[in-house]
């Protein structure tokens, strides 16, 4: 198990493994036309090799063709808007892309050429991406906005999501000896696409897996997330119990994981809420019930109560532990802008909930600093691995998701409208 998990962490490394040689006949023969722009056999082979070098070792010619078609459409959209990539922009894009492998632009190009990928293949890839970013920037970015409510909702989701600490998984390791990589990948894809149950995955593991766990249906014991390779953690964190991972290619094998169960803990303070609520002392339950039925929101309560009573309304924002017990108990059953009452016998409090929010979000808005005070007396404010992102980071993430969704939808629109033919 340890050997294969280590292999997964290595699989995405740049320029690992060898790439099989490609036949050279009819290299510059067009194989696809898209909006009258030709894609040659040479371009397909070069893109396939390029994608393989970047870590997608099982890239097929069809996948390389699809990637080239999309790049042609990106460039086509740019030309329609009069956008032409500049030499400076392409150079910046090349340097940025190379920096992901801790290389300079020239070093990266040299590595590619050593592996049989022409510099023009990288240039075309960077140029299409550079133009596409500008297309999205001009066409969609001005239309995208992120509200404070969306930021709050995303933060609330993160606060309420337990931090994954342990996983109970099953593994299926399909051998992929030289020359049989594609068959192994195809088998793994079929198994994953079937959305197997626990028992079905176990049966497949007994039949196809080469690991020591195969006789047990690939079932492994509980594992601490911190003990897993860093590259595997996000793969498993993205699975819910009952889900199977996408195939992961490692040297000599293709691996699938099935998530049987998870364990996690809520972050400190995750359950604490801050309540914005209103109270109004009234003489009878009848009066309180009538006013509660008429008021549709916290702002409307002032109107429905009348000028004299409105002046007596108290509005407070307190954590649950600071609210009187009877009022806190009544608020627990209310939704936003919903009212109820607390009967004390000789008087009644009308209670209306304006909003409830996680206290952690409120602390962020108040810019409450969290620091650690080591024994040596030196302050440290090092964020933990599970620390919440800032509001601006969340806003940027939501913005990027919307921009990516708009870009994907526009690319599909371009693809639907394109004229694609083969010679």
């Amino acid at each position: 198990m340890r050997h294969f998990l280590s292999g997964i962490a290595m699989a995405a490394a740049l320029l690992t493994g060898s790439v099989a040689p490609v036949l050279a006949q009819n290299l510059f023969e067009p194989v696809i036309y898209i909006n009258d722009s030709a894609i040659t056999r040479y371009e397909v082979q070069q893109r396939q090799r390029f994608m393989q070098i970047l870590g997608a070792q099982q890239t097929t010619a069809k996948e390389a063709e699809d990637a080239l078609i999309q790049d042609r459409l990106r460039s086509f959209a740019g030309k329609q808007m009069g956008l032409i990539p500049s030499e400076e922009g392409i150079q910046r894009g090349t340097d940025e892309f190379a920096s992901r492998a801790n290389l300079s632009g020239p070093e990266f190009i040299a590595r590619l050429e050593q592996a049989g990928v022409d510099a023009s293949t990288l240039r075309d890839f960077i140029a299409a991406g550079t133009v596409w970013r500008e297309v999205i920037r001009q066409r969609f970015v001005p239309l995208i906005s992120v509200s404070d409510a969306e930021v709050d909702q995303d933060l609330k989701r993160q606060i309420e999501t337990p931090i994954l600490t342990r996983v109970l998984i099953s593994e299926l390791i399909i051998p992929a000896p030289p020359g049989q990589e594609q068959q192994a990948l195809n088998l793994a894809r079929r198994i994953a696409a079937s959305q197997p149950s626990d028992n079905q995955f176990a049966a497949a593991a007994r039949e196809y897996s080469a690991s020591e766990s195969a006789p047990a249906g690939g079932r492994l014991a509980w594992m601490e997330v911190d003990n897993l390779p860093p590259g595997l953690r996000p793969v498993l964190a993205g699975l819910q119990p009952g889900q199977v991972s996408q195939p992961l290619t490692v040297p000599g094998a293709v691996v699938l994981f099935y998530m049987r169960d998870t364990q996690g803990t809520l972050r400190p303070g995750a359950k604490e809420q801050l309540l914005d609520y209103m109270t109004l002392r009234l003489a009878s339950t009848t009066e309180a019930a009538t006013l509660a039925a008429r008021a549709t929101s916290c702002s409307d309560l002032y109107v429905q109560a009348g000028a004299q009573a409105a002046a007596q309304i108290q509005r407070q924002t307190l954590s649950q532990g600071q609210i009187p017990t009877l009022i806190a108990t009544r608020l627990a059953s209310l939704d936003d802008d919903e009212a109820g009452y607390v009967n004390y016998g000789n008087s009644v409090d009308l209670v209306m909930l304006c909003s409830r929010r996680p206290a952690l979000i409120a602390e962020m808005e108040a810019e409450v600093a969290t620091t650690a005070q080591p024994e040596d007396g030196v302050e440290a404010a090092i964020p933990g691995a599970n620390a919440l992102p800032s509001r601006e980071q969340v806003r940027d993430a939501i913005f990027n998701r919307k921009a990516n969704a708009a870009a994907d939808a526009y690319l599909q629109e371009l693809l639907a409208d394109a004229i694609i033919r083969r010679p």
Side-chain angles (χ1 to χ4, degrees), residues 279-295 301 304-305 330 338-344 347-352:
T279 58
L280 175 61
R281 181 63 55 89
L282 297 170
S284 68
T285 58
T286 300
E287 187 179 359
T290 301
L291 183 54
R294 289 205 313 265
L301 180 60
Q304 299 299 331
R330 189 67 186 93
E338 185 179 7
Y341 58 85
V342 176
N343 188 354
Y344 300 107
S347 64
V348 177
D349 269 344
L350 173 74
V351 180
M352 175 169 268

Side-chain angles (χ1 to χ4, degrees), residues 71-335:
D71 275 359
R72 287 292 200 277
L73 290 173
R74 293 182 178 106
S75 298
F76 175 74
K79 289 179 181 178
Q80 286 186 316
M81 297 175 63
L83 300 174
I84 305 295
S86 66
E87 289 299 322
E88 294 80 4
I90 293 175
Q91 185 60 55
R92 283 195 303 272
T94 301
D95 291 340
E96 189 276 333
F97 195 79
S99 69
R100 302 176 190 177
N102 295 318
L103 298 171
S104 67
E107 289 172 336
F108 188 77
I109 292 172
R111 290 282 191 93
L112 289 178
E113 290 179 336
Q114 289 172 10
V117 176
D118 191 272
S120 63
T121 298
L122 175 63
R123 177 187 173 84
D124 292 345
F125 171 77
I126 296 295
T130 300
V131 165
W132 186 242
R133 282 193 294 272
E134 187 61 23
V135 168
I136 301 308
R137 190 187 71 80
Q138 293 190 21
R139 189 181 182 94
F140 297 110
V141 166
L143 305 177
I144 298 174
S145 63
V146 179
S147 68
D148 288 340
E150 289 176 294
V151 174
D152 284 347
Q153 186 64 31
D154 198 274
L155 278 170
K156 184 173 182 291
R157 177 188 58 78
Q158 294 189 48
I159 289 170
E160 294 175 348
T161 300
I163 299 169
L164 194 65
T165 56
R166 302 176 76 207
V167 292
L168 188 64
I169 60 175
S170 299
E171 63 178 357
L172 197 163
I173 300 172
I174 304 172
Q180 298 181 34
E181 296 91 348
Q182 191 60 49
Q183 295 94 311
L185 180 61
N186 290 341
L187 174 59
R189 284 173 172 169
R190 288 198 299 272
I191 294 172
S194 70
Q195 299 181 356
S197 65
D198 186 6
N199 289 335
Q200 290 169 333
F201 189 90
R206 293 189 188 97
E207 182 175 358
Y208 301 113
S209 185
S211 70
E212 295 178 0
S213 63
R219 293 185 175 98
L220 304 174
W222 282 100
M223 288 187 292
E224 299 291 331
V225 171
D226 289 342
N227 293 340
L228 296 171
L232 183 57
R233 294 172 198 170
V235 174
L236 297 180
L239 296 177
Q240 296 296 321
Q243 292 183 335
V244 63
S245 70
Q246 290 301 306
L248 303 171
T249 58
V250 301
V254 180
V255 185
L256 291 173
F257 291 105
Y258 181 88
M259 183 64 72
R260 285 150 49 212
D261 201 357
T262 62
Q263 289 182 351
T265 58
L266 289 173
R267 65 187 73 243
K271 292 184 177 181
E272 184 64 30
Q273 294 181 341
L274 202 71
L275 275 60
D276 176 12
Y277 69 99
M278 304 169 75
T279 58
L280 175 61
R281 181 63 55 89
L282 297 170
S284 68
T285 58
T286 300
E287 187 179 359
T290 301
L291 183 54
R294 289 205 313 265
T296 59
S297 67
C298 284
S299 58
D300 186 48
L301 180 60
Y302 290 104
V303 177
Q304 299 299 331
Q308 184 174 355
Q312 306 302 316
I313 293 175
Q314 292 188 352
R315 182 166 183 169
Q316 302 178 80
T317 301
L318 299 172
S319 64
Q320 290 166 302
Q322 297 174 302
I323 301 173
T325 302
L326 290 178
I327 292 178
T329 302
R330 189 67 186 93
L331 287 170
S333 64
L334 300 178
D335 294 325

